[in-house]
Amino acid sequence: MKKEVVTLKKMAQILSLSTSTISRALNDHPDISPATTKSVQDLAKKLNYMPNIFAKGFRLHKTNIIGVIVPNITSYFTSTILKEILLQSEMKGYRVIISESNNDIAREKEMLLTMLQFGVDGILMSLSKNTKDVDPILYALNQKPLVLFDKVSNKVPCTQIIINGEEAAFNAVEHLINIGKKRIAIIKEFEHSYNSEKRFQGYLRALKTHNIPIDEKLILSTDDISLNKGKMLASQLISLKERPDAIFSITDAAAVGVIQTLKKFNITIPEEIAVVGFSNSLISTIVEPNLTTTDQPGKRIGELAVDYLIREIQEHNSYANSKTIEIKTNLIIRASTFLPI
């Protein structure tokens, strides 16, 4: 048997009142007498009435709901950000709807439209690595406040929360140079990835700063910076006539794949080849040797993303307001680049 949905209209019929009186009584409006308010609220409790927050939000033009879109919720770094977004939003009186694009641009566009249809007050978004056409994002930005975090685009004029990716990569590669490495390879994504390109620029700047020639054979790009790709690309690098003496990967996952391949071929780490990753994920402390990596402050990113979005929601400012907040990172030096004395 289909369960009957209790509505304001149904309660109004039972009590012979108008729906507007029912609505105001449920919200303790001062214009409604205490007796009427009590009878309405008692009936609502008896019938297990649940207000439709979406319908209410459309009437008030405010739902106190934030939409969040990310490429992958299982990523350690992303999950750290999401946990803080949930915490900060709850503290500020907002609910959160989280969606995952799986790096599918069609799905990303669909989710943006769905968020708008739900009537969210604002959107927090980390772009798919395949996002090139930003028109759907610009459309959403014209409707609601929107803040980008982690994976962003300089084509979208909005508040963006990022790490100092270029500086972080520069510090990582400079660390390799300081321990005596001169043939430093990089494993990165293809050029359309904003974060990858920032880290690549840091890599190039470190080599140029220390007058180390750039060898194109040591620059490897892939569409999937995974553990398996790290294994595959490491095999390619160690097969070179002149092997690298260090490998910098823009993700920890690929760096761990590199370590596994080096160990398989009995290449000592870091004596023969040092390895650096990026993210400071849990896997970086489990692999042996422990991985030197850049620590990304996911908690701080989540905190700032919520703070700036709610500020824009409450201040009703123009949404198209370019502002980039860059957060500093730290290089965590471990055994994959460090030999104890």
Side-chain angles (χ1 to χ4, degrees):
M1 182 181 293
K2 186 177 180 181
K3 189 172 181 180
E4 183 179 4
V5 178
V6 181
T7 64
L8 295 181
K9 185 177 180 181
K10 178 68 175 177
M11 289 194 291
Q13 290 172 346
I14 293 172
L15 296 174
S16 299
L17 297 170
S18 68
T19 54
S20 62
T21 298
I22 297 292
S23 176
R24 285 183 288 174
L26 289 171
N27 288 287
D28 294 308
H29 197 285
D31 289 349
I32 307 301
S33 70
T36 300
T37 296
K38 185 177 186 308
S39 65
V40 170
Q41 293 185 357
D42 285 349
L43 178 63
K45 186 176 181 180
K46 179 182 176 182
L47 298 177
N48 294 316
Y49 168 73
M50 294 290 290
N52 186 324
I53 60 173
F54 292 112
K56 183 178 179 181
F58 282 123
R59 289 196 303 273
L60 300 177
H61 302 290
K62 184 169 178 62
T63 59
N64 275 57
I65 297 174
I66 290 172
V68 182
I69 302 172
V70 295
N72 183 356
I73 61 174
T74 60
S75 155
Y76 174 76
F77 178 53
T78 302
S79 65
T80 304
I81 297 174
L82 290 176
K83 186 174 182 180
E84 192 64 22
I85 286 174
L86 289 167
L87 176 63
Q88 294 296 325
S89 299
E90 183 179 352
M91 287 172 57
K92 293 174 170 62
Y94 284 79
R95 298 179 180 88
V96 177
I97 298 174
I98 298 174
S99 291
E100 183 181 38
S101 69
N102 287 316
N103 286 307
D104 183 322
I105 54 176
R107 181 173 170 79
E108 182 178 77
K109 178 180 178 180
E110 178 187 346
M111 288 189 302
L112 270 172
L113 294 175
T114 299
M115 294 294 183
L116 295 177
Q117 290 167 352
F118 277 169
V120 298
D121 291 344
I123 298 171
L124 294 174
M125 185 174 186
S126 180
L127 300 181
S128 155
K129 67 180 181 181
N130 300 315
T131 301
K132 296 179 183 178
D133 177 16
V134 298
D135 285 347
I137 302 159
L138 295 176
Y139 172 79
L141 181 60
N142 283 329
Q143 312 299 313
K144 298 285 181 178
L146 185 148
V147 170
L148 294 179
F149 66 91
D150 184 29
K151 296 176 178 62
V152 303
S153 170
N154 52 19
K155 298 176 184 177
V156 182
C158 69
T159 300
Q160 306 194 15
I161 316 294
I162 60 172
I163 64 164
N164 60 332
E166 181 179 338
E167 188 69 18
F170 176 90
N171 292 337
V173 176
E174 186 172 62
H175 165 65
L176 290 168
I177 295 168
N178 289 340
I179 64 172
K181 304 300 184 179
K182 298 189 181 303
R183 284 188 55 76
I184 302 170
I186 182 172
I187 296 175
K188 68 181 189 69
E189 287 182 298
F190 289 116
E191 287 70 16
H192 54 74
S193 168
Y194 178 91
N195 286 359
S196 178
E197 280 307 292
K198 283 288 184 182
R199 294 168 199 180
F200 182 47
Q201 291 306 314
Y203 163 85
L204 293 176
R205 182 159 65 87
L207 297 185
K208 290 176 182 176
T209 299
H210 292 273
N211 298 312
I212 294 176
I214 295 167
D215 186 342
E216 295 293 334
K217 292 190 292 295
L218 299 179
I219 300 172
L220 301 184
S221 299
T222 176
D223 59 351
D224 176 25
I225 308 291
S226 64
L227 187 146
N228 285 334
K229 275 296 175 70
K231 288 182 179 180
M232 184 187 307
L233 295 176
S235 296
Q236 183 177 328
L237 287 168
I238 63 175
S239 68
L240 292 173
K241 185 175 180 180
E242 289 186 81
R243 284 181 176 177
D245 55 14
I247 300 173
F248 169 51
S249 166
I250 69 158
T251 68
D252 281 352
V256 169
V258 169
I259 287 176
Q260 290 180 348
T261 293
L262 297 184
K263 290 173 70 175
K264 177 182 177 181
F265 288 94
N266 297 316
I267 296 171
T268 56
I269 307 168
E271 295 91 338
E272 292 181 82
I273 300 180
V275 184
V276 175
F278 204 105
S279 188
N280 196 27
S281 58
L282 290 175
I283 197 173
S284 67
T285 62
I286 297 171
V287 68
E288 182 61 39
N290 288 177
L291 179 65
T292 293
T293 183
T294 294
D295 181 43
Q296 299 184 89
K299 184 176 178 180
R300 182 61 175 158
I301 291 173
E303 179 185 4
L304 287 176
V306 172
D307 183 53
Y308 275 93
L309 181 66
I310 292 179
R311 193 181 307 174
E312 291 183 16
I313 290 170
Q314 294 176 344
E315 292 177 357
H316 304 288
N317 288 341
S318 171
Y319 308 147
N321 181 23
S322 294
K323 184 189 303 177
T324 299
I325 294 86
E326 195 172 80
I327 302 172
K328 290 189 177 298
T329 57
N330 295 305
L331 182 67
I332 310 297
I333 299 173
R334 299 194 181 108
S336 69
T337 65
F338 177 74
L339 280 172
I341 298 173

